[in-house]
Structures are given as structure tokens and as C-alpha cells.
Amino acid sequence: MRKKLFIAALFLNLSVTPAISSLYSTSVIKAAEAENPGIQPYFEKTGYRYKKINETTYRRLWSYTKQKWL
């Protein structure tokens, strides 16, 4: 009898815990978004730069955000 009771309690505990943790995590994320409205997602602007040496055209990827070659 104790074994059945223990298994039932364990099953109920495991089935309820994920639902509670998912509710908690979404509320924490919403609270963090409300506290910091000035934070914007980071977007890196890139493009190609061309150079011609001895009739051969070279192309390299340049980061306009970081001002360096990628």
C-alpha cells in the first residue's frame, strides 16, 4: 500500500512541477522586458568591399558595425 501511495505522490509531483516552472519562467521574462525597454536587439551590418589589383578584382566581407574584416 505504501508503495502505491509513494508512486502516486511521485507521479503527481512530477506532473505538476513542469507546469509551475513554465509559468514562473514566462513571468520572469515579461518582468525583465518591462524593466529594460531601452535594450534593442543587436544587428550587425555587413557588406563587401572591392579592390582591383593588376586587373584582378578582389572582394572581402567587411563589418560596418565593428569596422573590421570578417
Side-chain angles (χ1 to χ4, degrees), residues 7-67:
I7 291 174
L10 182 65
F11 175 74
L12 288 174
N13 188 21
L14 292 177
S15 64
V16 172
T17 303
I20 292 172
S21 65
S22 66
L23 290 175
Y24 175 73
S25 64
T26 56
S27 65
V28 169
I29 292 171
K30 288 179 183 176
E33 289 174 356
E35 289 176 6
N36 299 321
I39 296 175
Q40 298 295 324
Y42 180 72
F43 180 75
E44 185 174 359
K45 187 176 178 185
T46 58
Y48 285 102
R49 289 207 172 169
Y50 298 92
K51 186 179 192 180
K52 195 167 199 175
I53 301 175
N54 296 333
E55 300 299 322
T56 305
T57 304
Y58 295 95
R59 167 178 98 157
R60 288 187 71 184
L61 189 60
W62 177 258
S63 170
Y64 290 104
T65 307
K66 297 178 182 177
Q67 297 295 314

